[in-house]
Amino acid sequence: MKEAKQRFFDLHPGESVNTQSEEFEKYRSKGLIRQDDYYIGSIDDISNSYEMMELNFSNNFICDYILEIIEKDVDNDELRSLLNNCYVGFVTECEDEKASAYPVLDNDYLVTITSRLYYSLLNYGDVLAAKLLYDYGYVNENETEFVNILEELCVNKIDDIEVQLLIDLHFESNEKKDLVPVFDRISNEIFEVSLGFVIGHEIGHHYYYHSGKNIEVVRNKMDIGKSIKEYIDELSAANWDEMLADGFAFKFVMQFVKSDYKSEPKLHQILGIFIALLYLSKCNDPFIFTNKHPATIIRLISARCEILNRYRSSSYNIRKILNYIDWLFRKIHKTSNTDTDWWNFTIDQII
């Protein structure tokens, strides 16, 4: 994979998006892109929006490793080419928790993630890793108090990074320092999948040639007395683009696990997908949808269906996976928006 040794903006100073390129014309002629809603503008439009931020490229971050592993093993030439020309920018000075895909410029693809998103995913994974120390048999039944305290410390670290010092002390004071490498390994494998899902979603927008349109975002909330299925039936074209990108992200990250670990994903790696969706639900009311993005509850149900379809006939216990999803959301999600366990809703649920 091509290393991003120079800033993307340095490579394209002041250049405009070439809407007359052969690639653009090919997809517009097929009706996949409309001239009036494609992002047409200068790369300066992107850089100006980040003028107060430091945008570093991720040569040493796990995101480049994920792209490199998939590129080496994927049998899709179009995707391989995209990954070879994909830059992942790491936005360090930003209060938002988000990832973004930007217009293609001279066959270079830009995806950005913010540091707050990056570390939120990492912290959420720590909570699950703490529980799995016991569930995977690294801690015996007489040491559940150690795990319970560790779980709570990891939850507290989500909002206060200084709690990491207490976590380190907790391992040391309980003579469990030998478990730190195990804990870190499980947490890192969860993180790889959750981060890979987020990056894969943005790459999916590039892969499917989704166009961007500068429109005012209109927010709505699902109505009481209406089923989730009705909202799925009424999704806008932009909403379906997001669902399609989620589907791409699922396959993308499962390819990474298969290529890197030479095996089917383990339980905690599967749950990494739901860590990514959990972060979405923490940032937004799960029943809020816009003219650009579907409600988080719909995206969560779709991911559950992907898991069910993939592992229905395998040795995985689907009920166990669903139980862990329920545990994760109860443990981490603050139910200030709703007092229901909405993460267990089905498409036939009445809001």
Side-chain angles (χ1 to χ4, degrees):
M1 177 183 150
K2 177 177 62 177
E3 290 188 351
K5 293 183 178 179
Q6 296 179 323
R7 289 172 53 131
F8 181 85
F9 299 148
D10 290 341
L11 296 178
H12 306 284
E15 295 182 18
S16 297
V17 175
N18 182 9
T19 61
Q20 303 305 315
S21 67
E22 181 180 346
E23 180 182 52
F24 179 86
E25 288 300 327
K26 179 177 69 172
Y27 288 96
R28 187 176 66 173
S29 67
K30 293 182 179 180
L32 299 177
I33 296 175
R34 297 202 315 272
Q35 179 86 28
D36 61 350
D37 71 0
Y38 192 71
Y39 186 106
I40 301 175
S42 166
I43 197 67
D44 290 336
D45 294 335
I46 302 174
S47 57
N48 288 342
S49 68
Y50 284 102
E51 61 182 358
M52 301 304 294
M53 305 176 193
E54 181 184 356
L55 182 59
N56 296 314
F57 283 91
S58 54
N59 294 330
N60 298 317
F61 289 104
I62 187 63
C63 30
D64 277 327
Y65 179 71
I66 293 171
L67 267 62
E68 183 176 0
I69 289 296
I70 296 176
E71 184 196 344
K72 286 180 178 178
D73 210 32
V74 73
D75 58 3
N76 183 323
D77 290 340
E78 184 179 6
L79 178 57
R80 184 183 297 109
S81 175
L82 192 164
L83 295 177
N84 185 254
N85 293 283
C86 186
Y87 295 81
V88 181
F90 191 68
V91 183
T92 55
E93 301 297 328
C94 182
E95 291 300 312
D96 291 336
E97 297 191 57
K98 66 179 182 179
S100 303
Y102 288 93
V104 182
L105 188 64
D106 294 341
N107 206 36
D108 286 329
Y109 302 84
L110 174 62
V111 170
T112 61
I113 59 172
T114 65
S115 58
R116 286 178 63 87
L117 182 159
Y118 186 95
Y119 290 112
S120 289
L121 297 179
L122 190 59
N123 290 335
Y124 291 178
D126 280 352
V127 179
L128 178 59
K131 177 176 175 57
L132 290 172
L133 283 180
Y134 175 77
D135 293 357
Y136 281 177
Y138 293 104
V139 176
N140 65 48
E141 60 184 13
N142 297 321
E143 299 172 307
T144 55
E145 183 178 1
F146 166 80
V147 173
N148 291 338
I149 294 174
L150 181 59
E151 288 174 9
E152 292 306 316
L153 287 172
C154 290
V155 170
N156 293 337
K157 191 181 71 165
I158 292 172
D159 297 316
D160 182 5
I161 191 60
E162 296 298 326
V163 176
Q164 181 61 53
L165 297 174
L166 298 178
I167 293 174
D168 296 339
L169 180 61
H170 184 60
F171 277 104
E172 184 174 353
S173 62
N174 286 274
E175 299 182 347
K176 296 290 185 185
K177 291 182 68 174
D178 60 317
L179 285 181
V180 172
V182 177
F183 174 80
D184 288 344
R185 176 182 60 79
I186 296 172
S187 179
N188 287 337
E189 290 180 6
I190 295 168
F191 178 59
E192 287 172 346
V193 174
S194 60
L195 181 64
F197 186 86
V198 171
I199 295 172
H201 175 95
E202 302 306 330
I203 292 175
H205 284 311
H206 282 310
Y207 182 75
Y208 291 121
Y209 297 90
H210 291 159
S211 59
K213 187 175 183 179
N214 258 336
I215 60 174
E216 182 180 354
V217 175
V218 179
R219 293 166 58 87
N220 295 284
K221 188 164 185 175
M222 292 180 169
D223 297 325
I224 295 175
K226 194 171 180 179
S227 73
I228 293 175
K229 183 179 184 303
E230 290 179 83
Y231 280 102
I232 294 175
D233 291 340
E234 297 169 359
L235 288 177
S236 67
N239 284 177
W240 278 117
D241 282 350
E242 295 298 324
M243 300 293 285
L244 191 60
D246 275 355
F248 178 92
F250 177 86
K251 297 179 179 66
F252 180 85
V253 80
M254 290 298 101
Q255 177 66 54
F256 166 73
V257 173
K258 178 182 177 182
S259 298
D260 198 35
Y261 292 90
K262 309 304 178 185
S263 67
E264 285 295 303
K266 301 177 179 65
L267 172 66
H268 59 279
Q269 292 171 317
I270 292 174
L271 292 171
I273 292 172
F274 296 93
I275 293 287
L277 293 168
L278 174 58
Y279 120 80
L280 276 179
S281 69
K282 286 266 290 182
C283 297
N284 304 287
D285 185 317
F287 297 107
I288 292 290
F289 64 97
T290 74
N291 48 338
K292 285 193 171 184
H293 289 83
T296 302
I297 177 62
I298 292 177
R299 298 176 69 175
L300 179 64
I301 289 173
S302 176
R304 285 208 319 253
C305 289
E306 291 274 13
I307 295 294
L308 184 63
N309 290 336
R310 184 180 179 98
Y311 299 109
R312 186 189 302 273
S313 59
S314 72
S315 59
Y316 278 99
N317 185 329
I318 297 298
R319 176 45 55 187
K320 176 183 282 191
I321 294 175
L322 296 179
N323 286 342
Y324 269 98
I325 294 170
D326 182 63
W327 181 89
L328 270 171
F329 278 76
R330 289 183 187 278
K331 194 74 176 178
I332 299 176
H333 194 279
K334 294 179 180 178
T335 56
S336 56
N337 297 319
T338 173
D339 59 359
T340 64
D341 57 345
W342 58 268
W343 46 86
N344 292 322
F345 282 10
T346 67
I347 61 171
D348 296 319
Q349 196 90 28
I350 300 297
I351 303 300

